[in-house]
Amino acid sequence: MSRGAAWLAALAGGDGLVPGGPASVRMRDAPLGDEPARFLAVVPDPEGRFPRARGGEVGLEEGWALARHVRAAIEADAAGPRRALVAVVDVPSQAYGRLEELLGLHLACAAAVDAYASARLAGHPVVALLVGRAMSGGFLAHGYQANRIVALDDAGVQVHAMGKSSAARVTRRTVAEVEALGEKVLPMAYGVRALAQLGLVHRLIEGVSADAPSGHDVARVRREIAAAVADARSGPRDLSPRLASPAARARRAASIEVRRRLAEQWDG
Amino acid sequence: MSGALPAALARQSFIELTARERARALLDPGSFRELLGPFDRLASPWLEQQGVVPQEDDGVVLARGLLGGAPAVVMAVESGFQGGSVGEVGGAKIAAALEAALRDRQRGVPIRPVLVLETGGVRLQEANLGLAAVAEIHAALVALRREAPVVGVVSGMVGCFGGMSIAAGLCSHLVVLRQARLGLNGPEVVEQEAGLDELDAADRPLVWSLVGGEQRYLTGLADALVEDDAGAVSGAVRRAFAVPAPAAARSERVGLFLDRLAAIDPAAPPGAAALRYAWGGRR
């Protein structure tokens, strides 16, 4: 079982299989603290209809199904309290395939992005929990629109624009060289601690077993997610908090400076 | 002897223009005003340590001006710098302009935002900061699109790939040229990851038949197909703002696309022509 599937089951108390599928997109409503939450994960499905998206990648069905489940929560909660959405993230990448491109994989990912961002703007606290890989287009579609990103402090939690082996091939380096470059250039690093140094992680959860969590581990992670949900409820609905931390002010200074100077020049 | 030029000579190729010239060509004559231009010297802080010479505008041009007399902002990626890749600064410029346009709309300024996307996606040398910037572009786009139509242009020849293809997918209205390509993964990446049998990236007619501008238009994944002429592109952008925005953006039409996917058998997939018939219905 993938980390994403295992953590979804542990946190939500069930496998999250949805009748009518796809089996690669798991969704389950379960309590979080004293409120309801909807947990979502993309997981491998060796029987998946689209062969290029059987390994946990975000493919066509995955993007559109995520959008369906997220929008269903927005519609159901339109008149009342907005439940939290928890994206359990363990995605190796987007799917790479000819049929995927023909059928508009960019739009399938846009649909997921749109749904998560719309939920956030409608007042649903969206929390991403990084338990494994959070790669590239897969992470953009599933997790990166969250109000708050929390992550297990574990070597297997890896975040990047391109997987190590692909990046090595594209830049004609060895995987070891790609890793070494990450030691030298902070945004090139794969490990989640580097991402936290860039101010992109709200909370790094230490001392939890990512592969074989105990009941105590799961309870702790659930408390951390609930705290992130509470924090999101009391903050803005946009992504401005990502630029507000001391880490972001130190290491994303250019992102902040661009916004400051654009505001000065905007009206001439 | 008439002074009129033959039409072919009078036309100005849009593809051959730089990002700055494209922005100028889209805006009403004389109204172009660049923001955060080269003299503001906001270059990438990450490239020099990797032996890459940075550029003072980081490959993104922002311009305010008028579009059909209404206030506008054009955000254009320069494909001539690092393949039109999005780094921290260039990405922040686009996100910041979208965020500023949203503030304008919220205070009643009817600003018209236009994205000119000629980009390979995230700049690998700034990996996680490029990816973070793209996520912030997506967030700003979704928020702005609730208040105002956002028009995207993909012209060629670099194409629009990676995280920025998702931005194109979030636009209210997409203008494409035949020379354009639009897809999440560039053909070289698909070939590298999935093998030559999956996709031969060197087969240009095949690539364009799958993800080219005309195919995207004929399958309903783009809204206007225009010739490579600056006047024609500018006219298509103006027309996009003149018509009411669709009730639901393409990326919101979940039921439609889930039904369409359910009707497809991946073991006997449709070709490009069959898909035009199944999804297009345009002509």
Side-chain angles (χ1 to χ4, degrees):
Chain A
M1 196 193 280
S2 72
R3 274 190 187 183
W7 276 98
L8 179 115
L11 291 166
D15 61 20
L17 276 163
V18 180
S24 54
V25 178
R26 303 298 174 90
M27 185 274 288
R28 189 174 166 87
D29 288 321
L32 179 70
D34 50 10
E35 57 168 302
R38 172 160 292 192
F39 294 83
L40 297 135
V42 178
V43 307
D45 174 19
E47 306 295 306
R49 285 206 320 128
F50 288 85
R52 299 295 313 161
R54 286 176 178 165
E57 303 89 353
V58 174
L60 294 158
E61 290 189 320
E62 290 73 22
W64 288 108
L66 283 169
R68 186 183 104 195
H69 296 323
V70 170
R71 289 198 178 276
I74 299 174
E75 280 153 34
D77 297 352
R82 270 49 163 194
R83 85 190 75 174
L85 298 170
V86 182
V88 179
V89 181
D90 177 19
V91 283
S93 67
Q94 65 277 21
Y96 298 100
R98 170 174 167 168
L99 185 57
E100 277 70 17
E101 294 305 328
L102 175 68
L103 300 181
L105 180 56
H106 70 285
L107 185 63
C109 288
V113 166
D114 195 342
Y116 275 120
S118 297
R120 179 168 44 71
L121 292 168
H124 294 266
V126 182
V127 174
L129 171 70
L130 275 49
V131 300
R133 293 153 302 173
M135 289 288 171
S136 191
F139 185 32
L140 288 173
H142 179 61
Y144 228 172
Q145 285 303 310
N147 298 80
R148 300 289 181 274
I149 296 169
V150 298
L152 304 185
D153 183 17
D154 174 86
V157 179
Q158 301 253 314
V159 185
H160 208 270
M162 197 180 252
K164 266 181 208 174
S165 53
S166 317
R169 278 194 294 270
V170 167
T171 58
R172 296 191 179 83
R173 293 182 172 105
T174 64
V175 168
E177 285 168 333
V178 167
E179 284 171 343
L181 201 58
E183 303 283 306
K184 218 172 56 175
V185 185
L186 190 61
M188 292 282 283
Y190 280 81
V192 71
R193 286 184 186 184
L195 195 76
Q197 284 179 31
L198 294 168
L200 290 159
V201 179
H202 171 69
R203 186 87 176 78
L204 208 50
I205 307 168
E206 292 155 19
V208 162
S209 168
D211 283 318
S214 65
H216 176 74
D217 286 342
V218 173
R220 236 191 82 206
V221 170
R222 206 183 271 119
R223 281 198 304 275
E224 293 287 3
I225 298 170
V229 165
D231 195 60
R233 281 203 195 275
S234 66
R237 292 180 181 184
D238 61 20
L239 295 186
S240 57
R242 285 189 196 171
L243 287 168
S245 68
R249 284 199 295 273
R251 298 184 195 90
R252 289 186 72 197
S255 301
I256 295 166
E257 179 70 359
V258 161
R259 284 169 170 85
R260 189 185 68 77
R261 281 163 70 180
L262 184 81
E264 281 176 0
Q265 295 181 20
W266 186 251
D267 285 319
Chain B
M1 182 79 197
S2 143
L5 288 167
L9 291 178
R11 284 160 63 169
Q12 163 72 67
S13 164
F14 189 78
I15 293 171
E16 288 171 12
L17 300 177
T18 63
R20 195 162 279 108
E21 291 165 337
R22 288 174 180 184
R24 195 183 291 278
L26 290 174
L27 292 163
D28 293 354
S31 71
F32 172 97
R33 176 172 69 90
E34 186 165 357
L35 308 170
L36 306 183
F39 297 107
D40 288 291
R41 310 196 55 161
L42 285 162
S44 164
W46 305 101
L47 292 178
E48 265 180 341
Q49 58 184 297
Q50 298 177 71
V52 179
V53 179
Q55 194 166 284
E56 298 295 359
D57 59 11
D58 203 38
V60 168
V61 174
L62 300 181
R64 292 289 318 265
L66 300 172
L67 201 72
V73 59
V74 178
M75 298 145 275
V77 181
E78 175 52 66
S79 58
F81 180 64
Q82 295 291 306
S85 59
V86 176
E88 180 188 11
V89 169
K93 284 169 78 169
I94 297 171
L98 292 164
E99 290 160 9
L102 174 63
R103 287 194 295 273
D104 266 10
R105 275 279 170 171
Q106 285 168 336
R107 58 173 206 227
V109 179
I111 191 160
R112 297 178 162 186
V114 183
L115 285 160
V116 183
L117 300 175
E118 212 54 40
T119 161
V122 171
R123 185 178 295 159
L124 218 47
Q125 293 92 340
E126 305 184 30
N128 273 324
L129 285 183
L131 201 67
V134 167
E136 284 160 19
I137 288 168
H138 294 167
L141 237 170
V142 172
L144 177 58
R145 207 194 58 208
R146 289 151 51 115
E147 309 287 336
V150 181
V151 175
V153 178
V154 184
S155 57
M157 294 295 294
V158 162
C160 178
F161 296 108
M164 294 306 276
S165 72
I166 299 175
L170 291 167
C171 288
S172 329
H173 191 102
L174 206 52
V175 176
V176 295
L177 276 60
R178 274 184 183 77
Q179 292 85 343
R181 288 174 300 161
L182 171 63
L184 187 60
N185 301 296
E188 292 79 9
V189 178
V190 176
E191 182 187 314
Q192 177 187 288
E193 296 298 319
L196 198 60
D197 288 347
E198 181 74 16
L199 182 63
D200 179 358
D203 187 343
R204 292 166 64 89
L206 170 67
V207 168
W208 260 268
S209 79
L210 297 169
V211 303
E214 187 173 27
Q215 174 72 10
R216 292 312 195 193
Y217 171 69
L218 291 173
T219 51
L221 300 191
D223 304 283
L225 178 70
V226 294
E227 294 301 313
D228 178 23
D229 171 54
V233 177
S234 167
V237 168
R238 281 165 170 69
R239 278 192 299 280
F241 284 111
V243 299
R250 228 184 320 269
S251 54
E252 292 176 299
R253 302 183 69 184
V254 180
L256 170 71
F257 280 93
L258 280 170
D259 288 349
R260 283 176 167 185
L261 288 180
I264 281 165
D265 175 7
L275 196 71
R276 294 201 290 270
Y277 183 78
W279 287 15
R282 282 174 181 271
R283 55 178 71 91

